[in-house]
Amino acid sequence: MALHRVGLYWFSNDLRVADNPLLAQAANECQQLICLYVLPPESRQPNRYGLRGLGEQRWRFLQGSLRDLQQQLQARGQQLLVLQQNPLHSLAELISTHGIEAIYFAQHAGYYERRYQHILRQRYPFIHYNSAATHTLFDPLQLPFDLADLPDNFSKFRRLVESIDLRARIAAAEPAAIALPRSPLKAELVLQKWQQLPATKVIADHPWQGGSSAALQHVQQYFASSAPQTYKETRNALDDWSSSTKFSAWLADGSLSVRQILTALTQHEQQQGANDSTYWIWFELLWREYFQWYAHAHGKRLFAFSGLKQRGPATSFYPARFQKWCSGNTPYPVVNACMRQLNTTGYMSNRGRQLVASCLVHELALDWRYGAAYFEQQLIDYDVAANWGNWQYLAGVGADPRGHRRFDLDKQTRQYDPQGSFIAYWGNSQASLVLDDCDAADWPIS
């Protein structure tokens, strides 16, 4: 028998029905259920860095994920209400209108997202709250340390996890629930809110299509192929679809769970064999996992100029340099090509991200936070923990025990674009060979 007359499931970084045990719990405990996604208006407005938190490429991909989720919910007798307003305002109205007795939401690595959840609990203590780690491999209770004692670098984290073989303790991904409780909302209201969303251009043949349907199809195709067997050798390619797993965008918004990937990886190893490359996929999943808990452990320090250190890097902010970096108009051809690829597609390879981040911090001497904020705006696979944690790592203020990592851009170009094909395709033949047209105060240099 259901425990609650009306419940609310607040979707965030878990835009899927399959392998979502928290949604299954809500279905079992509620007579009626409201499924909600909230898009804060400020995500589409300029932030403290003069950038938007949600650029056009990210918004296009997110809309695809939301539409796919809506279709899956409709197939199970449900519907997704998408609102554009402050989450606390949205929830206050729904609580008062529908008498909500229980709220379900995924644990989130974002500091501000957790603040919303904390304030909600304080304002409405009479409501039953249910939360679960749906965005990570491990539940906090499975970790071999308290979160306050999170290792200060990834290598220590990995050794601890692998010393007790935590991988073997992760349950297989769960199938989707067949049915869900009906919604108390009128279909006309839900449709009206969908129609009020900002329009975005649909690109039918784009390789990145949002939603768990596209995600699961890609997972099946990838692990049915031989690509995982050579992943370690090919993963650093700058521009090749099959060279790396390409799971990141679906992982970021939760259309795909990390457990679904691990289940598919394990099946692939059983069928085609395990080797260094298939291990390296697990290694990369652990790298992502580490930064999720890193964000949980360090909160707003994730966004601090000095990161976890006592002193920030010796950088400043030069508006003209930053603009050149963003547009791919620097004296560094491989950086220009990577940035133009990002601006066109919303994606950049992991190797490319390291190169452009190193360029911004070392060659351009810019505040790393502006680079992280630009990635937040542009990347369709933006994940708050992975993005800001990795930028701290490259800037020498985070989890890297070696400090500043500076990449030799010429050497990297010879190694990863030896024929110059990547630069020829994505590069800017009109790029400036001069770093500064203006001084630090933005005055023209004569």
Side-chain angles (χ1 to χ4, degrees):
M1 182 177 178
L3 300 176
H4 311 294
R5 187 180 63 84
V6 182
L8 183 145
Y9 193 96
W10 181 9
F11 283 97
S12 58
N13 59 355
D14 56 343
L15 303 183
R16 63 184 183 273
V17 175
D19 197 41
N20 192 336
L22 188 61
L23 181 61
Q25 179 186 345
N28 290 330
E29 294 180 352
C30 301
Q31 296 175 5
Q32 294 183 313
L33 186 66
I34 296 173
C35 292
L36 172 70
Y37 182 86
V38 183
L39 180 69
E42 59 267 22
S43 66
R44 303 277 293 167
Q45 298 169 356
N47 56 27
R48 62 183 297 186
Y49 302 102
L51 301 165
R52 286 181 296 166
L54 188 66
E56 289 306 313
Q57 294 285 2
R58 277 190 66 200
W59 176 228
R60 178 192 62 79
F61 186 83
L62 176 58
Q63 278 204 331
S65 295
L66 293 173
R67 290 193 186 99
D68 184 79
L69 178 60
Q70 167 74 318
Q71 291 172 2
Q72 295 195 40
L73 291 175
Q74 286 179 330
R76 293 163 174 80
Q78 255 290 342
Q79 52 192 334
L80 179 66
L81 176 65
V82 181
L83 299 178
Q84 292 184 88
Q85 60 185 120
N86 181 290
L88 296 176
H89 295 165
S90 303
L91 290 159
E93 183 176 348
L94 290 169
I95 289 169
S96 63
T97 302
H98 298 282
I100 291 169
E101 298 175 357
I103 295 179
Y104 302 79
F105 49 75
Q107 292 180 10
H108 204 293
Y111 173 76
Y112 297 102
E113 288 81 359
R114 296 203 304 275
R115 283 279 298 164
Y116 280 134
Q117 294 173 358
H118 177 70
I119 293 172
L120 185 68
R121 289 177 183 269
Q122 287 187 319
R123 289 185 180 178
Y124 306 99
F126 54 87
I127 290 177
H128 296 273
Y129 294 96
N130 304 272
S131 184
T134 64
H135 199 60
T136 54
L137 278 169
F138 311 125
D139 184 272
L141 296 178
Q142 291 179 296
L143 295 173
F145 47 78
D146 291 331
L147 198 53
D149 299 321
L150 178 76
D152 59 6
N153 65 67
F154 169 71
S155 295
K156 294 178 182 177
F157 171 81
R158 178 173 64 88
R159 286 194 294 268
L160 278 172
V161 167
E162 293 188 332
S163 68
I164 58 174
D165 195 14
L166 269 185
R167 176 175 173 175
R169 305 183 192 182
I170 301 172
E174 299 177 358
I178 297 175
L180 295 170
R182 68 180 180 87
S183 172
L185 302 176
K186 294 182 179 180
E188 295 80 6
L189 170 66
V190 175
L191 178 61
Q192 177 189 15
K193 296 302 182 183
W194 274 91
Q195 292 172 340
Q196 293 173 357
L197 294 177
T200 187
K201 183 180 180 181
V202 176
I203 307 175
D205 59 348
H206 199 287
W208 296 99
Q209 297 293 336
S212 61
S213 298
L216 292 173
Q217 181 181 22
H218 175 64
V219 168
Q220 190 278 325
Q221 291 174 345
Y222 180 78
F223 283 113
S225 74
S226 61
Q229 297 290 312
T230 57
Y231 169 75
K232 190 175 181 181
E233 290 75 42
T234 64
R235 64 191 178 90
N236 280 312
L238 295 174
D239 194 16
D240 178 22
W241 178 262
S242 61
S243 63
S244 60
T245 64
K246 302 298 189 297
F247 299 144
S248 57
W250 293 297
L251 272 176
D253 69 14
S255 297
L256 183 65
S257 77
V258 64
R259 194 166 64 168
Q260 286 173 312
I261 294 173
L262 183 60
T263 298
L265 171 62
T266 301
Q267 292 173 348
H268 173 92
E269 290 177 327
Q270 293 169 349
Q271 296 166 2
Q272 298 194 38
N275 61 16
D276 285 348
S277 285
T278 62
Y279 169 79
W280 213 256
I281 296 175
W282 160 250
F283 179 94
E284 298 286 7
L285 293 179
L286 275 186
W287 182 264
R288 173 189 179 276
E289 186 79 5
Y290 175 68
F291 278 119
Q292 299 302 314
W293 298 116
Y294 180 93
H296 278 284
H298 298 297
K300 61 184 179 182
R301 296 298 302 173
L302 190 67
F303 311 102
F305 178 61
S306 59
L308 308 187
K309 310 298 183 182
Q310 297 298 317
R311 181 180 302 174
T315 58
S316 185
F317 181 67
Y318 301 83
R321 288 187 184 184
F322 181 60
Q323 184 56 44
K324 284 186 174 184
W325 181 84
C326 291
S327 61
N329 190 33
T330 74
Y332 310 101
V334 70
V335 171
N336 296 341
C338 288
M339 295 304 295
R340 289 164 71 87
Q341 177 193 41
L342 170 65
N343 293 336
T344 301
T345 67
Y347 181 78
M348 187 191 300
S349 69
N350 181 63
R351 175 60 51 174
R353 297 179 201 204
Q354 294 179 72
L355 299 184
V356 302
S358 176
C359 177
L360 181 132
V361 173
H362 296 290
E363 269 63 46
L364 306 185
L366 293 173
D367 183 336
W368 67 269
R369 296 173 300 172
Y370 283 82
Y374 191 71
F375 271 22
E376 178 177 346
Q377 174 181 278
Q378 298 296 100
L379 283 172
I380 59 173
D381 62 359
Y382 170 75
D383 175 285
V384 61
N387 183 69
W388 290 84
N390 272 297
W391 269 96
Q392 283 195 355
Y393 186 90
L394 264 297
V397 297
D400 184 2
R402 283 173 45 185
H404 271 198
R405 288 183 186 248
R406 185 170 191 168
F407 288 84
D408 183 325
L409 297 178
D410 289 336
K411 180 181 178 181
Q412 293 285 311
T413 301
R414 291 193 299 271
Q415 184 172 357
Y416 295 108
D417 192 27
Q419 306 302 319
S421 56
F422 177 73
I423 291 175
Y425 186 82
W426 289 109
N428 181 3
S429 60
Q430 306 300 316
S432 173
L433 298 178
V434 179
L435 178 59
D436 289 319
D437 302 310
C438 304
D439 62 17
D442 226 15
W443 284 86
I445 296 175
S446 58

